[in-house]
Amino acid sequence: MILPVPPEGQFMSLAYLVPADLSLAQVVDATHSVRVVRGWIDWLETQLASRSNELNLPAADLFARTEKVSAAEARTKDRRSKALEDAPSFSDALASGSVSAAHADALANTTARLGDEIKDVFLGHEASLLDEARHSTPEHFARHCRSLADRISKDQGVERSEHQKRQTTLRRSICPRTGMGRISGELDPELTERVFGALDAEVAALIAKPGNTDADRNHLAAIALGNLVSGGHQAIRPTITEAVVIVDLETLRDGLHQDSVCELSHGIEIPVEMARRLACNANIVPVVLNGDGVPLDLGRAQRFANHNQRLALRAIYRTCAFDGCDVPFERCEIHHLVPWEHGGNTDLKDLLPACEHHHHQVHEGGWTIKLAPDRTLTTRQSDGTIWAQTPLEIRTGTRAKRDRQRQRERTSDQTMPPLQA
């Protein structure tokens, strides 16, 4: 790799400065030289960070140990390096001192919170972004980046949503061999939420009927669909569509950020604008985890978890609460940590979703479980040995998968070699 020539003139002029002897014009010139030199050094750091990562030495660890900076600052330097790999014109501008490290950090902070598709569109504006950075303060440039990213996110999300609606289809046919009807198709996320929600409610009502407790759920789902279409449904159907949107308050209020969660209850990610529209058009059920305003804690008043408690648990859990189990929440039973018949309360802090297998393991298999205040679940086998300790993952959908992948990558990183003094 050929490095740009360092700003030797500025280096030399600064080396022999006596600030107390300078005129105002000389102070201004010297400050300009400092900016150029600092930009070149910051650029060189990004190149060293890239090479360090290539050599399986995490750049954040490198900076923390060699430069004695805080862990947060070390991560910032590493993030800056990765952002400039995607925006080479910013790298050249930093080397020449025409933009600062703070401008590069504004770019890095914005791109770090974007998905790959939106990030590619955002970086397609690299030339105009660089022009904006050269003529504005880092604070103004950061606002410009956020505004552009939010606009692209909205446009992309709405465009994708409209495309999904156009692609919604239902295919029907009769199998000539068996004489059975066949139904298949694809539904857009909003319609999926409504259809799945109605099916879930109808299946639950069918299961509650005598003789259906152990029935195959796919079989019941087919009957449920027929009931809903033909008007013979068992469940009480709301007159207003009930939307269950899991979204953090910051995203709903201000737009996407690095840790945004915005999805329907069945795990389908949706644009923020759709979430806001559903909030206007639907009967919103608040998911309150502390019992404030919603009767989530029922004590001994009733045995089974109520609708709002199930919604609250669904906001916390995507699947069965037991370690490694991927049975969807909708197919789980709500387990009392202290059995209701033994004096346990139907309170949220004492409830968690368990699939049929794990529910059986607790009740008949001799397993014991303990739920900490932070909802870390400790599971012990019948002989008392700890089978798993499972911390709660509130993040959902593809973001949770991405977080787990990052954790695996960090765990598998090569141990950092000792650095020479």
Side-chain angles (χ1 to χ4, degrees), residues 90-413:
F90 271 82
S91 181
D92 296 339
L94 181 61
S96 67
S98 59
V99 301
S100 68
H103 289 96
D105 290 342
L107 184 75
N109 291 336
T110 300
T111 56
R113 67 183 177 89
L114 302 179
D116 291 339
E117 183 179 351
I118 296 176
K119 178 181 175 181
D120 289 342
V121 177
F122 178 83
L123 291 175
H125 296 263
E126 183 176 344
S128 62
L129 285 167
L130 180 58
D131 183 65
E132 183 71 27
R134 282 173 168 155
H135 297 93
S136 64
T137 65
E139 293 80 8
H140 178 86
F141 179 62
R143 290 193 294 271
H144 178 79
C145 286
R146 289 194 296 270
S147 176
L148 176 61
D150 286 343
R151 188 166 66 251
I152 293 172
S153 297
K154 178 180 177 180
D155 293 343
Q156 292 291 105
V158 171
E159 180 180 339
R160 182 169 183 260
S161 177
E162 291 302 316
H163 175 74
Q164 289 171 328
K165 288 184 177 180
R166 292 192 297 270
Q167 295 299 112
T168 293
T169 183
L170 185 68
R171 293 177 288 276
R172 297 162 292 164
S173 63
I174 304 295
C175 176
R177 183 177 61 84
T178 65
M180 301 282 282
R182 291 175 173 173
I183 296 177
S184 63
E186 292 183 326
L187 310 178
D188 66 80
E190 186 176 348
L191 185 56
T192 296
E193 180 74 4
R194 286 156 47 197
V195 171
F196 282 16
L199 282 172
D200 288 341
E202 182 66 12
V203 168
L206 290 172
I207 291 175
K209 294 177 69 67
N212 284 343
T213 304
D214 299 322
D216 179 77
R217 284 180 175 267
N218 290 330
H219 172 69
L220 292 179
I223 296 175
L225 178 61
N227 285 351
L228 293 171
V229 173
S230 64
H233 49 271
Q234 305 295 315
I236 298 175
R237 300 174 65 184
T239 57
I240 303 176
T241 300
E242 179 181 87
V244 181
V245 179
I246 301 174
V247 57
D248 61 280
L249 179 60
E250 183 179 353
T251 294
L252 189 63
R253 184 183 57 206
D254 301 324
L256 294 174
H257 56 88
Q258 187 171 351
D259 296 317
S260 284
V261 175
C262 188
E263 62 182 41
L264 299 172
S265 67
H266 288 87
I268 305 173
E269 292 188 342
I270 60 173
V272 177
E273 291 304 312
M274 181 185 290
R276 290 170 178 160
R277 177 171 57 79
L278 291 174
C280 293
N281 297 336
N283 176 29
I284 299 300
V285 179
V287 177
V288 182
L289 303 185
N290 61 2
D292 183 16
V294 178
L296 296 178
D297 294 330
L298 304 180
R300 298 287 296 174
Q302 71 180 60
R303 176 168 183 167
F304 299 106
N306 70 7
H307 181 59
N308 284 334
Q309 286 175 317
R310 291 189 66 91
L311 289 179
L313 288 168
R314 176 58 189 84
I316 302 172
Y317 296 97
R318 163 63 58 80
T319 63
C320 169
F322 285 77
D323 188 70
C325 185
D326 59 0
V327 173
F329 177 89
E330 287 73 21
R331 298 184 182 178
C332 290
E333 301 160 345
I334 304 304
H335 173 68
H336 289 69
L337 272 76
V338 179
W340 194 84
E341 59 270 22
H342 294 164
N345 291 329
T346 308
D347 293 342
L348 189 64
K349 64 182 178 63
D350 298 320
L351 303 175
L352 78 166
C355 69
E356 183 179 359
H357 167 71
H358 286 115
H359 211 181
H360 173 79
Q361 289 295 101
V362 172
H363 282 282
E364 287 87 22
W367 285 18
T368 58
I369 57 177
K370 180 179 180 181
L371 194 63
D374 64 357
R375 298 198 78 90
T376 294
L377 182 65
T378 300
T379 308
R380 295 180 183 272
Q381 294 176 296
S382 56
D383 62 0
T385 59
I386 293 180
W387 178 69
Q389 284 187 309
T390 313
L392 177 66
E393 278 191 355
I394 294 181
R395 294 181 183 179
T396 54
T398 56
R399 183 169 301 280
K401 296 177 184 176
R402 193 159 56 242
D403 289 346
R404 287 193 290 271
Q405 177 62 29
R406 288 173 179 165
Q407 181 60 43
R408 284 194 292 269
E409 290 172 355
R410 286 195 294 268
T411 303
S412 62
D413 278 343

